[in-house]
Amino acid sequence: MEYRILGPLELWSAERSVALGGERQQKLLALLLLNAGAVVTFDRLIDELWEDPPQTARRQVCNAAAAVRRVVTGGGGRLATSTHGYRLDLPDGSLDADRFRSAVRDAEVLAGRGEAARAVELLHGALDLWRGPVLAGLGSASIDAAGHVLAEQRLQAVERLAELRLELGEVTSLLGPLAGQVAEHPLRESLRATLVRALDRAGRRGDALAVFEEGRRALADQLGADPGPELRELHAELLRAQPAAPRRSPLPFDIPDFTGRESEVDSLVEAIGTRSPAIVTIEGMGGIGKTALAVHVAHRLEDRFPDGRCYVDLRGFTAGTPPMTAGAALEVLLRQLGVPAEEVPVDPDARRELWLTEVSHRRVLVVLDNAADAHQVRALLPGAPGAVVIVVSRCHLMSIEGAVPVSLDVLPGDDAVALFRRIAGPRADAEPEAVAEVISLCGRLPLAIRIAASRFSRRPWTVAHLADRLRDRQRRSRAFTANDLSVAGVLALSYHHLGTDRQELFRLLSLVPGADFDAHAAAALAGVPVFDAQDVLEELVECNLLMQRRADRYCLHDLVRDCARDLAGAAHAPSELDTARHRLFDYYLHLADVRGRRSMPGRRGFEPELRWPAELPASESEDDDIRQLRAEYKNMVAVAGYASTHGWHVHAWQLPCLLMPYLTRVGQRSGVLELSRNALKAARALGDRRGESMALTTIAFALREAGRHGEVLEFLDRAIAISRELGDLPAAVGGLRDLGASQVQAGMLEAAAASFAEAVALARSTGDQRAEVNSAIDLGLVDCNLGRHAEAEARFRDALAVHQLDGYVGGEVVVLINIGWLAQLRGRDAEAVVALERAVRLSREIGMSRGEGISLAWLGVTYRRLGRTEDAVRVGREALESARRMDLREPEGDALNGLAETYLAAGRLREAETMLWQAEELAMAGALPMVRARAHEGLAHVAHRRGDHDWARTHWERALELYPAGAVDAENPRAHLDDAAALCMRCVRGQGSPRALTVVRDIASAV
């Protein structure tokens, strides 16, 4: 076993991660690892694990320690119990912190013997053990204190490594990492002294003096102190030394606060070092830091090009200035190589020939900044084997043959924070949360961060005050302006190079309320054909005004959206913008309506009010429907939110109600209650009683998923009453079915039977055979739970005949799953296999992922009951893959639990435990109490098999607490609490106990 604490807590055995259980168990293990070989008392453990310890704290510590013991014992460790607490004994070398400290000590011994190279290797290996902050994610007084100690030891190792590498002459490769460390620890004088020495040895005495001065100011501002003797003496040496001969280089100054971009720098350096000649392009939106990166890399590689460094701004995107011609650029390049002005030919072709001749025998580095397009660049490429060209442009330069593209995105979060702090100064350190908000409001765009941080550093503001200014969009535009430089102005330069139709769509895209969009949404917004919209979007991507995070989906950077919104306000009347919004909102209504039909046929209660129906993406199956709704769901929520806030009442109530099939299908919960309550307000504002009834039903769905059964029944009663009042009997049938499903979840089985029976009768009176059959299936599910198996079988057989007659394959799948389950209850597992295997096959034929996942999960259970363990594992894995492929959370939880039960039957306890903790975590995140209860049942079985009966009882008790009143699944843990050796649905081979309500709810909502 390998124990890792230099980062998040991890355990590895045989190159596989070992499951650790919950947070309390992890924290207990962490405390024992930090004190390995010493007793950690019960009192100390309780103090570290709880701020306000419960009365059962000591018992819970014992339970957690029992779980830890099982883990460490299997890995060669030993957890000993004493009267005072616990002591963890580990094999030598099994803890990464011990290996780190040992390697650092050995490196120092080697360095003392003069073996610096071997010492460097050891220190590299020691530092590679670090994966992040010590025990990241786990906190307590002891953990935090140990983390500070280890972090200081790590920094000392970093310093020693830098010193040794400098002794070995590794100057160039050392500068970048060392500068980053100094930026992270600006007050650490020994680290800064090493950087100053390295810069001096690299021939950059000016930069070395600048680094010293930066440190002197930091010490004075933050500590009111002067540099120590080492830095002062080093500074004096630099001043006494003869100045280095100036190098002729037209490269712009490498900004001293350049931060991040390590992967991009590495990609550029690798491309330049492995290709001859090398051409690399740096592409990205305005303000993203392209020029800064190019100049930084050019300075880093300066020593490799003794024959010349060239730089020219091609003015491809410069306000009020046309792009530079190739001839003018060639004149600049030739002069930088030392060609006298009088020897530069007038003819552009002759200039090109002279340029090629001059560079043919040289190793030169050429930076072509701010290029308009590939045509402008192509005439300037030297083509000589010793030449390297870095091209910077806002556009993709795909037609430059052999070029290696490096596309810049916004800064990663940590790099963005580091850049802000370096410019803003030490005052920012006291407000980390406000800094994070400022970074978010800057969209992690380097130019915006620089301007905001510079403005902050020159004013007596707090970072929170700066964040407040940036939250206001109007003030944000002014805040991102410094002297003659502004973010909006930089971004607008790209816009002004577009054609008229491109400019119009770019402006209108600022109206999209959601985070992203596809070509169909853009086409609806602009009222143009999809193919035309696609062409414009691709051109906007090429110009880096749009970003693509996923194939066929586009998004605007927040600050680009601000720019587009300002341009739209100036170019369009408000009525034009509202018309464009209406087209977009109608597109989402149309999409939600059409793509929801296949998921829940016959359950729609209205036709949406569409003024602008638009072309929808193609869909061949229910899977396609779900994928499209999943891709657009957050955008639809954003549209509904905008509609609710701005008085678009029709869209505000119809869109959430049209999403009900999707919400039911995938088990979506987050935000649904607020969404549906806004729908109710909008319907009432319109006086639309039908809309009110639909919104009440949607609210009931959200409340049911939150377990608020009393409110659910109240809202559904009101919805059904309105439907009856309006004479909308199909809606009343749907409401009765929802009411019955809610009563099942609440454990009110007899009441549910009455609701479903009423739905059957009402559907029959309207002649709606499909609604009648589906209601009868619901009633059959309740019959099963009440033990009325013959009645349930008759209903399922009748429903199967009807669905087969009218060719409704999805309905046939649902009935087959129920027939298979009923056969399990009656001990007819072979018959269950026939039904469930057919359900799997039909689901795959029509692309019904939910039916496939549920039928596979229950087929695995049946195989396990028959003793076909290998088959059970195979289909269990398929069930899990199916659920995850379509992001169906509740079926994923059922698949995890079912597969874990199979592993348990096979004696594979560790794999079973891993699956069960995954199911528990998923259920916690998705508010799935039934899935969570079943997971605790499984964990109880695992503990029981290991002989830990107290821990097993704890899990069975937790499962019983989680199951709703009246749930037949509650009989499983209840049986074991009465008799630990009892058999239940989860562990029996043969006839099991009544079926779980989780799948009752799944099947009832699937028809």
Side-chain angles (χ1 to χ4, degrees):
M1 183 82 74
E2 179 184 353
Y3 301 85
R4 300 180 181 179
I5 66 172
L6 302 181
L9 177 62
E10 291 181 357
L11 272 65
W12 287 78
S13 178
E15 299 184 354
R16 295 181 61 184
S17 177
V18 178
L20 299 175
E23 181 179 349
R24 185 164 297 127
Q25 182 178 326
Q26 293 181 39
K27 190 178 289 187
L28 185 142
L29 176 57
L31 292 165
L32 294 172
L33 288 170
L34 290 172
N35 297 275
V39 173
V40 185
T41 65
F42 287 110
D43 289 343
R44 181 181 173 190
L45 288 172
I46 290 171
D47 288 342
E48 295 282 350
L49 294 177
W50 286 277
E51 292 184 5
D52 184 16
Q55 291 183 348
T56 60
R58 187 176 179 109
R59 178 185 172 188
Q60 292 189 48
V61 168
C62 293
N63 290 338
V68 169
R69 179 177 285 110
R70 287 193 298 272
V71 173
V72 301
T73 302
R78 178 176 178 270
L79 182 61
T81 307
S82 72
T83 56
H84 301 292
Y86 296 101
R87 185 187 74 249
L88 178 60
D89 297 320
L90 300 176
D92 291 342
S94 59
L95 181 64
D96 59 354
D98 290 342
R99 297 201 306 278
F100 165 76
R101 285 185 285 250
S102 176
V104 171
R105 287 194 300 268
D106 292 346
E108 195 58 44
V109 171
L110 288 171
R113 296 174 183 169
E115 300 180 49
R118 290 182 60 195
V120 164
E121 290 180 10
L122 273 181
L123 287 173
H124 273 306
L127 292 169
D128 285 344
L129 293 171
W130 285 75
R131 298 167 290 109
V134 173
L135 294 167
L138 300 176
S140 75
S142 292
I143 290 174
D144 294 345
H148 290 313
V149 171
L150 281 164
E152 172 62 23
Q153 293 173 357
R154 176 186 177 277
L155 192 53
Q156 290 173 1
V158 168
E159 290 178 333
R160 188 59 175 136
L161 175 62
E163 293 170 358
L164 291 171
R165 291 183 63 191
L166 191 58
E167 288 180 18
L168 293 171
E170 298 179 14
V171 177
T172 302
S173 60
L174 175 63
L175 286 176
L178 188 54
Q181 292 290 341
V182 170
E184 187 176 349
H185 306 282
L187 302 181
R188 201 162 184 99
E189 294 188 51
S190 54
L191 203 59
R192 186 175 296 274
T194 304
L195 177 58
V196 170
R197 291 190 184 94
L199 287 167
D200 183 44
R201 293 191 188 181
R204 295 168 58 179
R205 184 163 292 117
D207 289 341
L209 289 167
V211 169
F212 168 84
E213 179 61 23
E214 180 186 72
R216 187 195 64 77
R217 287 198 306 269
L219 288 165
D221 292 344
Q222 297 185 47
L223 303 179
D226 292 327
E230 182 182 13
L231 268 180
R232 290 200 307 271
E233 183 177 342
L234 185 57
H235 181 239
E237 290 176 4
L238 292 174
L239 294 177
R240 287 194 300 268
Q242 290 294 325
R247 295 185 178 184
R248 187 174 184 274
S249 174
L251 292 175
F253 180 61
D254 186 10
I255 55 176
D257 53 22
F258 183 89
T259 302
R261 301 292 191 203
E262 287 89 355
S263 62
E264 291 89 348
V265 170
D266 290 343
S267 296
L268 288 164
V269 171
E270 180 182 2
I272 289 170
T274 58
R275 302 170 71 90
S276 179
I279 304 172
V280 294
T281 62
I282 303 176
E283 304 161 355
M285 63 183 286
I288 203 99
K290 302 179 296 297
T291 298
L293 174 61
V295 171
H296 180 72
V297 170
H299 277 286
R300 177 169 169 175
L301 300 175
E302 202 167 15
D303 291 344
R304 297 190 192 179
F305 300 95
D307 298 329
R309 280 82 62 194
C310 301
Y311 172 89
V312 59
D313 180 358
L314 297 176
R315 301 198 299 262
F317 296 87
T318 302
T321 304
M324 182 180 288
T325 65
L330 285 168
E331 181 179 7
V332 173
L333 292 169
L334 287 167
R335 292 295 307 277
Q336 289 178 358
L337 285 183
V339 177
E342 61 273 13
E343 295 182 16
V344 176
V346 175
D347 179 64
D349 291 337
R351 287 182 181 177
R352 165 72 176 164
E353 290 300 322
L354 180 58
W355 166 246
L356 294 177
T357 301
E358 287 291 329
V359 298
S360 63
H361 59 283
R362 304 186 191 215
R363 288 187 54 78
V364 294
L365 173 65
V366 181
V367 179
L368 302 177
D369 194 11
N370 200 8
D373 50 38
H375 176 73
Q376 184 189 30
V377 169
R378 196 170 286 111
L380 310 178
L381 300 178
V388 168
V389 182
I390 302 176
V391 186
V392 179
S393 180
R394 297 189 182 197
C395 297
H396 294 322
L397 305 176
M398 295 179 292
S399 62
I400 297 180
E401 298 81 1
V404 177
V406 175
S407 183
L408 286 196
D409 202 341
V410 295
L411 284 172
D414 290 346
D415 289 347
V417 170
L419 176 60
F420 181 88
R421 291 174 60 187
R422 291 188 70 174
I423 300 172
R427 281 192 299 132
D429 295 347
E431 300 176 81
E433 293 182 0
V435 169
E437 184 179 4
V438 167
I439 295 305
S440 176
L441 291 166
C442 291
R444 292 186 281 129
L445 187 71
L447 176 61
I449 294 170
R450 286 185 175 280
I451 292 176
S454 178
R455 186 175 291 274
F456 168 82
S457 69
R458 288 166 172 79
R459 287 166 173 77
W461 293 346
T462 63
V463 184
H465 177 75
L466 173 62
D468 184 58
R469 295 177 69 89
L470 296 180
R471 277 193 293 270
D472 184 321
R473 195 179 71 81
Q474 300 300 326
R475 298 170 76 186
R476 182 161 67 228
S477 178
R478 295 192 296 273
F480 287 142
T481 300
N483 300 324
D484 60 345
L485 182 65
S486 73
V487 173
V490 168
L491 297 174
L493 289 173
S494 298
Y495 164 81
H496 291 304
H497 283 74
L498 300 172
T500 303
D501 57 336
R502 272 67 174 155
Q503 289 181 340
E504 179 175 7
L505 180 55
F506 174 72
R507 295 191 300 265
L508 294 180
L509 290 174
S510 68
L511 306 180
V512 177
D516 66 355
F517 47 87
D518 65 1
H520 287 81
L525 178 70
V528 299
V530 173
F531 285 126
D532 291 349
Q534 182 73 62
D535 289 344
V536 177
L537 294 174
E538 286 300 313
E539 184 172 332
L540 293 176
V541 171
E542 296 301 319
C543 295
N544 281 294
L545 284 170
L546 282 185
M547 298 184 290
Q548 267 193 300
R549 303 299 192 197
R550 291 184 293 155
D552 300 325
R553 298 203 67 82
Y554 307 86
C555 60
L556 286 165
H557 186 280
D558 289 345
L559 300 185
V560 175
R561 186 191 300 272
D562 284 351
C563 176
R565 188 180 287 120
D566 291 340
L567 293 166
H572 298 279
S575 60
E576 292 178 314
L577 298 180
D578 279 344
T579 297
R581 283 193 185 93
H582 203 148
R583 288 194 297 258
L584 178 67
F585 292 3
D586 275 8
Y587 167 75
Y588 285 123
L589 272 184
H590 191 33
L591 184 69
D593 173 40
V594 174
R595 293 295 171 253
R597 292 177 186 174
R598 192 158 18 202
S599 293
M600 293 178 69
R603 293 297 299 273
R604 294 181 304 120
F606 64 96
E607 295 290 335
E609 299 176 30
L610 298 175
R611 185 185 302 175
W612 308 95
E615 180 182 351
L616 301 180
S619 176
E620 301 296 333
S621 66
E622 184 184 357
D623 279 8
D624 287 348
D625 293 345
I626 296 297
R627 286 192 190 95
Q628 290 179 21
L629 289 171
R630 178 176 291 109
E632 299 293 358
Y633 174 70
K634 290 183 179 178
N635 294 325
M636 293 178 179
V637 171
V639 167
Y642 182 96
S644 177
T645 303
H646 293 81
W648 295 61
H649 297 311
V650 171
H651 296 86
W653 83 258
Q654 291 191 356
L655 191 50
C657 294
L658 287 171
L659 283 170
M660 268 301 294
Y662 170 75
L663 299 174
T664 304
R665 206 65 163 165
V666 303
Q668 177 67 39
R669 290 164 176 77
S670 177
V672 175
L673 186 57
E674 180 183 1
L675 190 69
S676 52
R677 282 177 169 161
N678 288 338
L680 180 61
K681 291 177 185 177
R684 286 175 172 169
L686 290 171
D688 191 322
R689 296 283 284 165
R690 178 187 56 178
E692 183 178 353
S693 173
M694 293 291 297
L696 287 167
T697 302
T698 310
I699 291 174
F701 164 80
L703 292 171
R704 184 177 70 200
E705 297 304 309
R708 295 160 63 175
H709 303 301
E711 295 172 85
V712 170
L713 303 182
E714 176 188 346
F715 276 95
L716 287 174
D717 283 339
R718 288 159 58 188
I720 294 168
I722 293 174
S723 296
R724 292 184 188 276
E725 174 191 322
L726 297 174
D728 189 352
L729 299 186
V733 171
L736 285 166
R737 293 185 64 203
D738 288 335
L739 179 62
S742 300
Q743 290 165 331
V744 167
Q745 186 171 354
M748 304 164 58
L749 298 181
E750 292 290 356
S755 296
F756 289 140
E758 187 177 356
V760 170
L762 193 57
R764 185 180 298 130
S765 71
T766 64
D768 189 339
Q769 186 184 43
R770 180 168 289 182
E772 178 185 349
V773 170
N774 292 338
S775 301
I777 294 173
D778 296 336
L779 185 53
L781 293 171
V782 179
D783 285 336
C784 287
N785 279 275
L786 292 172
R788 301 197 288 248
H789 295 167
E791 292 92 331
E793 182 175 17
R795 297 186 200 283
F796 294 155
R797 296 295 177 187
D798 289 345
L800 183 63
V802 171
H803 286 321
Q804 288 177 336
L805 184 64
D806 66 11
Y808 177 29
V809 180
E812 184 179 351
V813 168
V814 171
V815 180
L816 285 168
I817 294 172
N818 289 307
I819 289 173
W821 164 57
L822 179 58
Q824 282 187 18
L825 294 183
R826 305 177 87 175
R828 302 172 182 174
D829 291 318
E831 181 181 328
V833 167
V834 173
L836 292 169
E837 285 180 344
R838 177 170 171 77
V840 171
R841 181 173 60 80
L842 292 177
S843 296
R844 287 172 172 168
E845 287 178 0
I846 64 173
M848 185 179 176
S849 289
R850 194 177 186 88
E852 178 187 358
I854 294 173
S855 52
L856 281 169
W858 284 97
L859 183 59
V861 170
T862 312
Y863 284 156
R864 185 253 301 166
R865 288 160 56 92
L866 288 169
R868 296 170 56 180
T869 305
E870 291 185 3
D871 289 336
V873 170
R874 173 178 54 80
V875 300
R877 288 173 175 168
E878 291 176 3
L880 185 58
E881 291 169 2
S882 174
R884 285 176 171 171
R885 184 171 61 250
M886 293 304 295
D887 194 23
L888 303 175
R889 289 184 291 176
E890 196 155 0
E892 180 182 352
D894 288 335
L896 283 167
N897 280 324
L899 186 53
E901 290 158 9
T902 299
Y903 283 144
L904 180 67
R908 297 160 65 175
L909 301 188
R910 179 170 293 178
E911 290 165 286
E913 186 177 34
T914 298
M915 289 281 181
L916 291 164
W917 279 117
Q918 289 177 14
E920 206 271 350
E921 183 178 355
L922 179 145
M924 283 280 287
L928 302 171
M930 303 291 287
V931 173
R932 192 176 175 207
R934 186 176 171 188
H936 279 284
E937 280 192 72
L939 290 167
H941 281 97
V942 171
H944 181 68
R945 291 281 293 274
R946 286 173 170 163
D948 192 340
H949 303 300
D950 289 342
W951 196 233
R953 187 173 187 84
T954 298
H955 280 299
W956 273 317
E957 289 172 349
R958 185 61 180 136
L960 193 59
E961 292 171 2
L962 288 166
Y963 279 126
V968 289
D969 273 6
E971 295 305 315
N972 295 326
R974 188 174 286 117
H976 284 288
L977 288 170
D978 291 341
D979 178 6
L983 294 177
C984 72
M985 184 77 170
R986 313 302 182 205
C987 56
V988 72
R989 293 195 181 198
Q991 181 171 334
S993 61
R995 172 190 181 285
L997 288 182
T998 302
V999 180
V1000 174
R1001 191 165 65 254
D1002 282 345
I1003 303 302
S1005 66
V1007 183

